Amino acid sequence: MLIVDLNRENYEYDVHALVKSFFPEEQVTVLTPESREDRREELSRAARIRINVSGREAVLAIDGREYRLEVEEGVRAQERLKEGFKKFLYQVLSKETGKELPWGNLTGIRPTKIAYGFLEEGRSREEIIRHYQEKHFVSTGKAALSVDIAARERELLSRLHRGGYSEAGYSRGYSEAGYSRGFGEAGYSLYVGIPFCPTTCLYCSFTSFPIGGYRKIVDAYIDCLIREMDLVAGQYAGRTLDCVYIGGGTPTTLEAEQLDRLITALKDRFDFSTVQEFTVEAGRADSITPEKLQVLYRQKVTRISVNPQTMKQETLDIIGRNASVKQVEEAYALARQTGFDNINMDLILGLPGELEADVQRTIDRVVELAPDSLTVHSLAVKRASRLNRWIQENRAVMLHNTDETMEIAARGAARLGMVPYYLYRQKNMSGNLENVGYAREGKLGLYNILIMEEVQTVMALGAGSITKLVLPDGRIERRENVKDVKLYLEKLEEMLERKRELFALECSLERDSL
């Protein structure tokens, strides 16, 4: 364990993220004044890194070697200290370890947001790349990737209906039956969560429940989804629905009849004539059948996923993903035969025991299959996943991801005629790298971008889902549904009330703007 003794709570996230990036093999613990009193003194004595922030200076000591950051007196001194601290911490850790991180001192999940904002201001590509390099120590390659992706995001998001409040559209206040809204051409998107999976993979921390133990309550779960649909459809009548995304979990753990019932209920309540993209994550090959694919095709789903994660059978066995390489290939071929012309594949780099040669073999096989889009994830070790325990037992040296493995994937995507179109990062990602979505032109996933950039309201239904209401001033109001499936069934009325509160807030803001 690598212990950091820090005297300021509001610096904790950046400290943990950067220290963990430089010392990925260590379990990093950051002590603050709020840490557990019963162990704080004991752990503090073992701290290798000590950070004291006070007044106009920050003092950082690593194994007794001391470094100091000081800002000039005057207005905004505290603010300038906070702004300079991440740069200071990165430079010290880089000097101590001899490492440079591909994403420099950036710790947020959306590094492209910087480029997106600058492009909106009319900045040039060269200016933006220079900003990434000089202020954040980002490598030239990652900076250029961010700018290129941000440019594609802007073009794709311009197709969304965003709209705004207008006096002409407003007619009455909030009611259970809905209200006419002053949004002009305002739009929204819809997420439907199916939290069941065939099994839970070693690395997974998402809300998912093995279907074997929940099969008897799936119909009751769909009943609850339909009640959420009724509420949202009533309140958003007259607004434009841009994207529908059924995710999970693994939606295709539902039986064909249940999938048909779910999608039919959606189409009965929402106007799909405006929907630009309708995605269902088929995901696990061991849940895909001809009957289920026929339902999705007949219901005019425009985009599906068949996700191998790796084409190395030994790795699939380790991570508990029961679908074999052969099953993945058969499911993919079946989807093509059914008529789907927009199929995504997900891969994870940095899985236990995999090296560059393994990634190359996976990419070569994926290129032969020729999906329409490819999402390349860097393994993120989540605290709630079984992988976290596995690492403690087998040591993190078994996890390997590098710029070279990411480049192998990028070259494979290029061979398929794909371009990178969205990017995000997560905490504790192997190699301090990123997740990148690649796609052929015309097959770029609109929902993937809008959920990252948070520029449009997404109404989310189902256990563990999070609704994001985007307000006119850019603020985002979130409402979460409980994660546990059985608790969701029991507390559905409470989940509905949370959405009613959002609708009431939205209506009051609209009224105030008139």
Side-chain angles (χ1 to χ4, degrees):
M1 182 187 294
L2 194 162
I3 299 170
V4 182
D5 195 343
L6 171 68
N7 75 324
R8 293 280 289 272
E9 290 88 354
N10 59 344
Y11 285 68
E12 182 179 3
Y13 174 81
D14 288 336
V15 168
H16 185 277
L18 279 174
V19 172
K20 181 66 178 176
S21 295
F22 277 100
F23 298 94
E25 71 285 353
E26 299 280 2
Q27 181 181 339
V28 175
T29 297
V30 179
L31 301 176
T32 71
E34 297 298 313
S35 299
R36 283 176 45 186
E37 290 295 329
D38 58 338
R39 294 202 63 204
R40 196 184 191 293
E41 186 176 342
E42 169 198 345
L43 292 172
S44 178
R45 286 196 295 270
R48 282 184 56 195
I49 301 176
R50 298 183 186 278
I51 302 172
N52 189 285
V53 182
S54 61
R56 297 181 292 106
E57 70 172 13
V59 179
L60 191 160
I62 300 183
D63 296 329
R65 293 179 293 279
E66 191 171 285
Y67 301 86
R68 188 178 301 268
L69 168 68
E70 188 172 358
V71 298
E72 295 179 0
E73 287 190 63
V75 294
R76 295 182 60 248
Q78 286 285 313
E79 189 178 335
R80 284 185 283 114
L81 180 65
K82 183 76 162 61
E83 288 173 355
F85 177 78
K86 277 178 69 175
K87 196 171 184 177
F88 166 67
L89 177 61
Y90 177 88
Q91 289 174 308
V92 171
L93 293 173
S94 181
K95 179 178 179 179
E96 285 283 330
T97 61
K99 297 179 183 177
E100 292 184 354
L101 303 179
W103 286 102
N105 66 13
L106 291 180
T107 54
I109 67 169
R110 301 196 303 276
T112 56
K113 204 170 187 68
I114 296 170
Y116 194 101
F118 282 152
L119 288 172
E120 292 279 281
E121 295 175 8
R123 303 278 192 98
S124 70
R125 187 174 190 273
E126 292 70 26
E127 282 181 286
I128 302 171
I129 290 174
R130 190 161 56 248
H131 174 88
Y132 274 101
Q133 293 171 321
E134 294 176 358
K135 185 166 184 179
H136 300 291
F137 308 107
V138 175
S139 72
T140 302
K142 299 303 182 191
L145 180 64
S146 295
V147 179
D148 292 343
I149 286 176
R152 289 192 182 96
E153 288 179 340
R154 285 183 75 216
E155 191 280 325
L156 204 58
L157 291 176
S158 68
R159 305 176 193 175
L160 289 175
H161 298 82
R162 300 196 206 180
Y165 296 120
S166 67
E167 186 167 0
Y170 178 79
S171 66
R172 55 183 157 73
Y174 170 79
S175 73
E176 191 69 19
Y179 51 88
S180 298
R181 313 177 63 88
F183 286 86
E185 287 296 308
Y188 71 105
S189 289
L190 197 62
Y191 174 85
V192 182
I194 307 298
F196 309 110
C197 275
T199 58
T200 301
C201 298
L202 185 69
Y203 54 78
C204 187
S205 65
F206 289 115
T207 303
S208 65
F209 300 85
I211 190 65
Y214 290 84
R215 184 69 71 186
K216 292 180 180 178
I217 64 171
V218 172
D219 285 318
Y221 181 79
I222 295 173
D223 290 340
C224 290
L225 287 177
I226 291 173
R227 286 192 61 195
E228 282 203 273
M229 290 179 206
D230 287 335
L231 177 65
V232 174
Q235 294 303 319
Y236 274 18
R239 288 187 65 172
T240 303
L241 180 60
D242 279 316
C243 296
V244 178
Y245 193 102
I246 302 179
T250 306
T252 42
T253 51
L254 302 187
E255 299 297 337
E257 298 79 8
Q258 292 167 332
L259 272 173
D260 197 33
R261 178 184 170 218
L262 174 68
I263 298 173
T264 298
L266 279 168
K267 291 192 167 184
D268 284 346
R269 287 158 178 79
F270 297 92
D271 180 5
F272 269 63
S273 67
T274 61
V275 171
Q276 301 182 47
E277 181 180 276
F278 183 13
T279 299
V280 175
E281 282 188 12
R284 293 271 293 262
D286 51 344
S287 71
I288 295 173
T289 66
E291 296 77 17
K292 294 176 188 180
L293 289 173
Q294 285 294 337
V295 167
L296 300 181
Y297 189 73
R298 187 178 69 252
Q299 291 281 14
K300 294 183 169 48
V301 171
T302 58
R303 184 175 180 272
I304 66 168
S305 293
V306 179
N307 299 332
Q309 313 304 9
T310 176
M311 299 298 261
K312 182 178 178 181
Q313 188 60 52
E314 294 86 345
T315 306
L316 292 173
D317 295 339
I318 289 172
I319 64 178
R321 199 166 175 88
N322 289 350
S324 67
V325 171
K326 183 179 179 183
Q327 281 178 297
V328 169
E329 294 171 344
E330 290 173 346
Y332 177 85
L334 187 59
R336 285 294 193 211
Q337 290 164 16
T338 303
F340 287 100
D341 63 359
N342 193 350
I343 303 176
N344 176 73
M345 282 189 155
D346 279 9
L347 300 176
I348 299 178
L349 307 188
L351 287 168
E354 291 212 346
L355 301 175
E356 282 84 354
D358 300 302
V359 174
Q360 186 66 65
R361 281 190 288 271
T362 288
I363 292 296
D364 288 343
R365 186 64 191 113
V366 168
V367 168
E368 290 175 15
L369 293 172
D372 304 286
S373 61
L374 183 66
T375 307
V376 179
H377 300 269
S378 293
L379 180 68
V381 182
K382 300 300 182 65
R383 189 177 301 175
S385 69
R386 291 184 296 120
L387 178 61
N388 198 29
R389 294 193 300 274
W390 184 92
I391 289 172
Q392 319 229 346
E393 296 167 5
N394 295 275
R395 298 302 297 161
V397 292
M398 293 286 289
L399 304 179
H400 178 78
N401 198 23
T402 64
D403 267 333
E404 175 55 24
T405 51
M406 293 297 290
E407 187 56 34
I408 289 169
R411 290 195 295 266
R415 285 159 62 191
L416 289 166
M418 297 179 185
V419 294
Y421 75 97
Y422 88 105
L423 179 155
Y424 68 100
R425 303 181 68 221
Q426 296 167 272
K427 291 172 63 176
N428 302 331
M429 296 188 82
S430 59
N432 188 241
L433 294 164
E434 67 280 333
N435 303 323
V436 183
Y438 300 89
R440 294 185 173 125
E441 292 294 348
K443 307 294 184 182
L444 281 64
L446 181 56
Y447 181 86
N448 287 333
I449 296 175
L450 74 86
I451 201 64
M452 281 293 111
E453 295 304 326
E454 299 181 322
V455 296
Q456 187 191 63
T457 290
V458 176
M459 281 290 146
L461 319 178
S465 66
I466 302 174
T467 288
K468 296 180 182 180
L469 175 65
V470 180
L471 299 172
D473 60 4
R475 286 183 298 127
I476 297 172
E477 286 285 334
R478 292 173 170 82
R479 293 295 185 275
E480 299 183 14
N481 282 352
V482 293
K483 293 182 179 181
D484 184 83
V485 172
K486 292 179 180 177
L487 201 58
Y488 169 77
L489 300 183
E490 293 171 12
K491 293 185 174 292
L492 177 65
E493 188 55 43
E494 183 182 321
M495 304 303 101
L496 297 175
E497 186 58 34
R498 293 179 186 180
K499 283 187 170 61
R500 292 186 189 105
E501 291 171 2
L502 272 187
F503 295 135
L505 170 64
E506 194 173 27
C507 180
S508 68
L509 289 172
E510 181 180 12
R511 189 186 304 113
D512 291 344
S513 72
L514 299 179

